[in-house]
């Protein structure tokens, strides 16, 4: 009989969690939610209070050790399973890590690439990939058809760009605008500038992968603000909200010998 499995993704702003009926890709989602990092202590007696106890959990965390420990306290308080966290390695679940120092690659980036490759192979033959996460920061990863992570970009997300402009210039404390091809007010100019800056970096990476691999990459986008970017992208990007959770399910199955 399958046992519930808890997947956790702790980003720079929020803790996202999902409870599945088993620890393998395609498992049925039983419950899910998100908490801002300031409110992690609510989990055990709040959203997790009536959940069935998972037999195992696996997570990725980029927010630092103090936040990870606060999450572990909630897991141990509410459930009996031991907290387990992904750290990027030289290779796992079909992805080979091309980073200069493999363990220094962000765990969320590593897990998202693993989730994307599993998704890509489930729909057809192997091909190169570009994997984009749109959150507090934006990451753009390049993977060849054999599963080697070639390298990636990190750039500021929308919020960081706007705060940088507000702090570095006079008179730019304006409301959020709309994305326009030809902005004619400062709000729209700021929102459009940030959006097209991210789009330009992503599209440049797609060009690099296309040239390097000699094939059109499969392109995936995820992250809390992915829905904002998807409509303005050139090319065919699949928006997959659960990409990190999908990757955690793949890793859990691999590690447990499933």
């Amino acid at each position: 009989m399958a046992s519930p499995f808890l997947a956790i993704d702790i980003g720079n702003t929020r803790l996202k969690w999902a409870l599945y009926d088993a620890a393998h890709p395609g498992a049925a989602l039983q419950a899910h939610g998100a908490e801002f990092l300031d409110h992690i202590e609510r989990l055990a007696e709040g959203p997790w209070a009536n959940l069935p106890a998972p037999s195992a959990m696996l997570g990725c965390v980029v927010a630092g050790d103090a936040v990870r420990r606060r999450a572990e306290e909630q897991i141990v308080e509410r459930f009996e399973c031991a907290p387990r966290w992904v750290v990027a390695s030289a290779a796992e679940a079909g992805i080979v890590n091309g980073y200069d120092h493999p363990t220094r690659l962000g765990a969320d980036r590593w897990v998202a690439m693993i989730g994307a490759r599993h998704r890509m192979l489930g729909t057809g033959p192997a091909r190169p990939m570009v994997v984009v996460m749109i959150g507090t920061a934006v990451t753009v990863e390049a993977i060849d058809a054999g599963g080697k992570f070639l390298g990636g970009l990190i750039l500021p997300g929308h919020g960081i760009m706007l705060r940088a402009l507000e702090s570095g210039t006079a008179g730019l404390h304006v409301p959020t605008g709309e994305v326009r091809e030809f902005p004619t007010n400062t709000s729209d100019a700021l929102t459009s500038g940030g959006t097209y800056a991210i789009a330009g970096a992503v599209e440049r990476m797609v060009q690099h992968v296309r040239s390097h691999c000699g094939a059109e990459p499969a392109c995936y986008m995820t992250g809390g603000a992915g829905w904002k970017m998807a409509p303005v992208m050139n090319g065919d990007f699949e928006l997959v909200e659960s990409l990190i959770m999908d990757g955690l399910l793949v890793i859990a199955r691999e590690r447990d010998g499933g």
Side-chain angles (χ1 to χ4, degrees), residues 11 14 26-27 31 34 38 41 59 72 93 98 102 115 155 168 183 190 192 197 214 243-244 249 258:
R14 297 186 302 162
D38 290 345
E41 282 74 17
E72 288 177 347
L155 60 152
L190 288 167
S192 301
L243 202 56
I244 287 181
L249 288 168

Side-chain angles (χ1 to χ4, degrees), residues 139-255:
T139 58
V140 188
E141 321 298 359
I143 305 99
D144 71 14
K148 182 177 181 181
F149 168 49
L150 302 171
L153 310 174
I154 303 174
L155 60 152
H158 286 87
I160 295 175
M161 288 190 200
L162 290 174
R163 286 194 294 274
L165 282 167
E166 287 180 352
S167 65
T169 56
L172 281 182
H173 298 275
V174 294
T176 301
E178 301 294 329
V179 177
R180 310 283 188 194
E181 289 187 358
F182 305 105
T184 54
N185 61 70
T186 304
S187 294
D188 290 354
L190 288 167
T191 298
S192 301
T195 299
Y196 289 132
I198 294 169
V202 172
E203 289 162 13
R204 179 61 62 89
M205 183 61 88
V206 171
Q207 293 174 10
H208 291 332
V209 172
R210 187 185 294 129
S211 175
H212 179 82
C213 298
E216 192 67 25
C219 299
Y220 299 97
M221 184 171 288
T222 192
W227 62 272
K228 294 180 181 178
M229 287 301 305
V232 305
M233 297 304 302
N234 289 331
D236 185 16
F237 269 83
E238 182 181 355
L239 184 60
V240 187
E241 292 185 14
S242 63
L243 202 56
I244 287 181
M245 300 305 183
D246 294 347
L248 289 171
L249 288 168
V250 173
I251 294 169
R253 179 187 63 182
E254 296 278 325
R255 292 186 177 183

Side-chain angles (χ1 to χ4, degrees), residues 69-150:
R69 286 192 293 269
R70 288 166 55 210
E72 288 177 347
E73 290 170 359
Q74 295 296 294
I75 294 164
V76 172
E77 178 181 333
R78 176 62 187 88
F79 309 121
E80 294 183 0
C81 62
R84 297 186 300 166
W85 306 100
V86 173
V87 175
S89 57
E92 186 164 22
I95 297 289
V96 176
N97 194 340
Y99 228 45
D100 293 343
H101 302 281
T103 59
R104 295 184 187 175
L105 176 68
D108 57 341
R109 299 170 65 190
W110 183 238
V111 172
M113 286 187 271
I114 289 170
R117 182 164 174 84
H118 179 267
R119 187 176 189 89
M120 182 261 295
L121 292 176
T123 60
R127 48 193 292 212
M129 299 188 303
V130 172
V131 180
V132 182
M133 285 195 295
I134 310 288
T136 306
V138 175
T139 58
V140 188
E141 321 298 359
I143 305 99
D144 71 14
K148 182 177 181 181
F149 168 49
L150 302 171

Side-chain angles (χ1 to χ4, degrees), residues 13-78:
T13 305
R14 297 186 302 162
L15 180 154
K16 285 80 71 178
W17 61 270
L19 186 73
Y20 297 90
D21 68 349
H24 60 72
L29 179 64
Q30 296 181 321
H32 66 97
E35 289 285 342
F36 287 104
L37 299 187
D38 290 345
H39 302 150
I40 285 177
E41 282 74 17
R42 298 178 181 177
L43 286 166
E45 295 182 357
W48 291 353
N50 297 313
L51 292 183
S55 59
M57 73 76 55
L58 185 65
C60 61
V61 55
V62 299
D65 291 340
V67 174
R68 175 183 53 78
R69 286 192 293 269
R70 288 166 55 210
E72 288 177 347
E73 290 170 359
Q74 295 296 294
I75 294 164
V76 172
E77 178 181 333
R78 176 62 187 88

